[in-house]
């Protein structure tokens, strides 16, 4: 929990930045808010994929620290930085090359389309800064220093809100950019966060044992290949999960605005609750990696067990609160009674999957600590897309088993997919633990 709570606060603040963008753009016009929402739905999967790839560094660093191989940490961090920086630059190049063609083929209202592409055109320049920030963040977190992430996220939020205001409304003689100004503000925040993290890594006394800047490292293709072998499965598994929820939102569109809005409320609140077990899972990655690096496999096993137990206890609390206050929570998002009623009923199902969600995300975090990430990729793909989406389609859109139940069918699909993922990931974790103890 000591490792997890700063990560949790940082994750919540990241979500709060997105919330601030949406609200502040919405005060200009519905078109500006819609542009920010659509652009964010394009940007987030891209940046989350890079985020997942860089997460490999925390596991690598924690194992090196546990094995007392501190001299290897800087090189691994540099190689991850080369990967992240390259991807950040590639995003800029691809956007500038492809956006004119894509813009011609997208059939959206002219003002909405213009604002959306302007937002992306601004935020894309913050990509390299955010990618490098992620590298320094996971270097620090891999060494069990998670508080800097929290503090720098708070700094980012404190800059984001006034910067949004300045660029949205054109203060200090600057042009008023409307919702697109949120993209420029976020890009600036990304570079500020990188700069703040860089200063911390330079001056921190607790990081002096593993200095990053004592020696410069050019790209080492063997090392890069090794990092990618761990990071790519993590990135793809994150992409599978995020894209599943996006696809379901599209499939629900024919049911009407009320259904889509209710689904979005339930998803948004579930995403906030998910930050708790996700933060715990990231802390588990660090602790398990350190124990494995230290060749203390019994301790690694105990960490996994207690973390899953803690995750389930937390799930009991969050699920109970979600059930008891589901109507009040839905009322925060909207005043339309029909939407509130449907969202509240979907949140009943959302409360149920919090148990399997806690087990699967913590098990995946533990497997990352063991650097066993390919199994996560295969299991999440099969669970989310083959099981979860299939069950959702059958129950939601067809009369094959029962009369089609629309959004409820897709949420039962979520529960099915997450439950299968929880069982398979826990089973895989058990295998990895047994194998590591035998090999030790």
């Amino acid at each position: 929990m000591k490792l997890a709570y700063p990560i949790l606060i940082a994750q919540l603040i990241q979500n709060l930045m997105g919330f601030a963008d949406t609200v502040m753009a919405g005060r200009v016009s519905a078109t500006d808010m819609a542009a920010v929402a659509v652009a964010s739905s394009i940007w987030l999967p891209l940046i989350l994929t890079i985020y997942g790839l860089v997460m490999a560094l925390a596991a690598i660093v924690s194992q090196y620290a546990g094995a007392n191989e501190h001299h290897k940490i800087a090189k691994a961090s540099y190689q991850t930085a080369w990967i992240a920086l390259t991807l950040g630059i590639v995003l800029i190049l691809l956007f500038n090359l492809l956006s004119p063609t894509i813009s011609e083929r997208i059939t959206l209202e002219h003002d909405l389309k213009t604002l959306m592409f302007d937002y992306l055109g601004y935020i894309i320049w913050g990509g390299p800064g955010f990618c490098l920030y992620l590298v320094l963040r996971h270097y620090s977190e891999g060494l069990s220093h998670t508080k800097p992430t929290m503090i720098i996220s708070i700094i980012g939020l404190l800059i984001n809100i006034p910067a949004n205001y300045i660029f949205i409304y054109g203060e200090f003689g600057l042009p008023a950019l409307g919702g697109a100004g949120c993209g420029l503000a976020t890009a600036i925040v990304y570079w500020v966060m990188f700069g703040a993290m860089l200063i911390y890594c330079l001056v921190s006394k607790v990081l002096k044992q593993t200095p990053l800047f004592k020696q410069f490292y050019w790209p080492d293709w063997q090392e890069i290949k090794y990092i990618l072998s761990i990071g790519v499965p993590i990135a793809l598994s994150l992409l599978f999960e995020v894209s599943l929820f996006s696809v379901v939102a599209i499939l629900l569109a024919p049911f009407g605005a009320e259904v889509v809005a209710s689904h979005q409320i339930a998803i948004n609140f579930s995403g906030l609750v998910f930050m708790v077990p996700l933060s715990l899972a990231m802390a588990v990655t660090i602790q398990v990696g350190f124990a494995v690096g230290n060749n203390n496999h019994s301790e690694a096993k105990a960490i996994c067990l207690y973390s899953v137990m803690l995750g389930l206890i937390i799930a009991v609390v969050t699920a109970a609160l979600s059930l008891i206050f589901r109507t009040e929570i839905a009322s925060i998002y909207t005043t339309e009674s029909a939407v509130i009623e449907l969202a509240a009923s979907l949140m009943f199902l959302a409360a149920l999957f919090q148990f399997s969600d806690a087990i699967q995300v913590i098990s995946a975090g533990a497997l990352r600590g063991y650097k066993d990430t390919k199994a996560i990729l295969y299991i999440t793909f099969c669970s989310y897309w083959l099981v979860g989406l299939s069950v959702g389609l059958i129950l939601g859109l067809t009369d094959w088993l029962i009369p089609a139940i629309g959004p409820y069918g897709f949420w039962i699909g979520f529960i099915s997919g997450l439950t299968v993922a929880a069982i398979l990931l826990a089973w895989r974790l058990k295998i990895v633990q047994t194998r590591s103890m035998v090999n030790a």
Side-chain angles (χ1 to χ4, degrees):
M1 288 301 293
K2 187 178 178 182
L3 285 176
Y5 88 83
I7 298 174
L8 172 61
I9 293 171
Q11 298 290 113
L12 291 174
I13 288 172
Q14 288 287 107
N15 279 5
L16 196 55
M17 285 187 197
F19 176 75
D21 286 356
T22 303
V23 170
M24 294 181 77
R27 294 198 177 273
V28 180
S29 73
T31 302
D32 287 79
M33 183 170 70
V36 171
V38 174
S40 296
S41 68
I42 296 169
W43 173 250
L44 283 176
L46 294 173
I47 206 68
L48 277 175
T49 302
I50 298 174
Y51 178 84
L53 197 152
V54 176
M55 281 176 74
L57 182 62
I60 293 167
V61 168
S62 62
Q63 283 206 13
Y64 282 151
N68 205 28
E69 295 179 328
H70 294 95
H71 60 286
K72 295 182 179 180
I73 290 174
K75 185 177 181 181
S77 300
Y78 271 83
Q79 303 314 310
T80 309
W82 285 116
I83 297 168
L85 182 60
T86 301
L87 291 173
I89 293 170
V90 166
L91 286 180
I92 295 172
L93 295 175
L94 286 177
F95 177 80
N96 286 288
L97 286 171
L98 300 178
S99 59
T101 305
I102 295 171
S103 179
E104 289 177 5
R105 297 186 180 182
I106 290 180
T107 54
L108 288 174
E109 180 189 331
H110 179 266
D111 289 345
L112 175 60
K113 185 195 296 186
T114 301
L115 282 168
M116 182 188 80
F117 276 96
D118 285 349
Y119 178 98
L120 290 170
Y122 289 127
I123 199 172
I124 204 80
W125 289 99
F130 189 64
C131 290
L132 292 173
Y133 157 75
L134 289 176
V135 173
L136 296 179
R137 169 184 168 171
H138 287 289
Y139 154 75
S140 176
E141 289 181 358
L143 293 167
S144 300
H145 303 300
T146 57
K147 283 185 181 177
T149 300
M150 176 185 71
I151 294 167
I152 290 167
S153 294
I154 294 170
I155 293 169
L157 179 65
L158 292 175
I159 294 171
N160 185 67
I161 293 174
N164 272 349
Y165 185 82
I166 291 167
F167 294 121
I168 288 172
Y169 297 105
E171 300 296 325
F172 305 110
L174 296 170
L177 301 174
C182 296
L184 179 54
T186 303
I188 291 170
V189 167
Y190 284 163
W191 281 105
V192 169
M193 290 171 70
F194 165 61
M197 199 73 195
L198 182 63
I199 291 168
Y200 170 75
C201 292
L202 282 167
V203 303
S204 172
K205 292 179 181 178
V206 295
L207 296 177
K208 281 189 176 179
Q209 190 178 3
T210 54
L212 266 185
F213 307 105
K214 192 175 181 180
Q215 181 179 345
F216 183 83
Y217 295 92
W218 289 105
D220 182 322
W221 302 115
Q222 284 298 112
E223 185 88 10
I224 287 173
K225 185 179 177 182
Y226 170 66
I227 293 166
L228 290 174
S229 70
I230 299 170
V232 168
I234 300 173
L236 290 177
S237 61
L238 268 180
L239 184 62
F240 290 151
E241 186 170 1
V242 172
S243 58
L244 173 63
F245 290 106
S246 300
V247 166
V248 169
I250 294 168
L251 292 171
L252 287 174
F255 287 90
E258 287 185 355
V259 170
V260 175
S262 302
H263 168 77
Q264 196 58 39
I265 289 169
I267 283 292
N268 185 269
F269 180 73
S270 298
L272 289 174
V273 173
F274 178 68
M275 293 297 106
V276 180
L278 176 62
S279 302
L280 185 57
M282 294 170 77
V284 170
T285 299
I286 298 163
Q287 289 287 79
V288 168
F290 190 89
V292 170
N294 198 30
N295 208 30
N296 194 340
H297 297 283
S298 59
E299 183 184 352
K301 186 177 180 179
I303 290 165
C304 297
L305 175 62
Y306 293 130
S307 299
V308 170
M309 290 169 62
L310 179 59
L312 287 173
I313 292 168
I314 292 170
V316 169
V317 176
T318 56
L321 293 173
S322 300
L323 286 173
I324 295 167
F325 298 108
R326 61 187 185 275
T327 302
E328 289 79 5
I329 292 166
S331 301
I332 296 171
Y333 291 86
T334 182
T335 55
E336 296 183 29
S337 57
V339 176
I340 291 171
E341 185 179 350
L342 180 54
S345 62
L346 291 177
M347 284 175 64
F348 176 84
L349 296 173
L352 295 180
F353 78 43
Q354 288 178 29
F355 298 97
S356 52
D357 211 9
I359 295 171
Q360 69 90 16
V361 73
I362 293 169
S363 297
L367 286 169
R368 287 197 298 270
Y370 282 100
K371 296 195 289 193
D372 186 65
T373 57
K374 286 184 181 177
I376 301 173
L377 171 62
Y378 302 141
I379 289 170
T380 51
F381 174 75
C382 293
S383 301
Y384 299 151
W385 282 87
L386 300 186
V387 177
L389 185 58
S390 298
V391 170
L393 288 169
I394 291 168
L395 296 179
L397 302 181
T398 76
D399 300 328
W400 292 359
L401 300 177
I402 57 173
I405 53 176
Y408 298 104
F410 285 103
W411 278 80
I412 293 171
F414 291 155
I415 294 170
S416 303
L418 287 167
T419 302
V420 171
I423 293 168
L424 293 179
L425 287 168
W427 173 67
R428 177 63 185 179
L429 180 58
K430 183 73 174 175
I431 292 173
V432 171
Q433 288 172 340
T434 303
R435 187 174 61 196
S436 63
M437 293 182 80
V438 169
N439 291 339

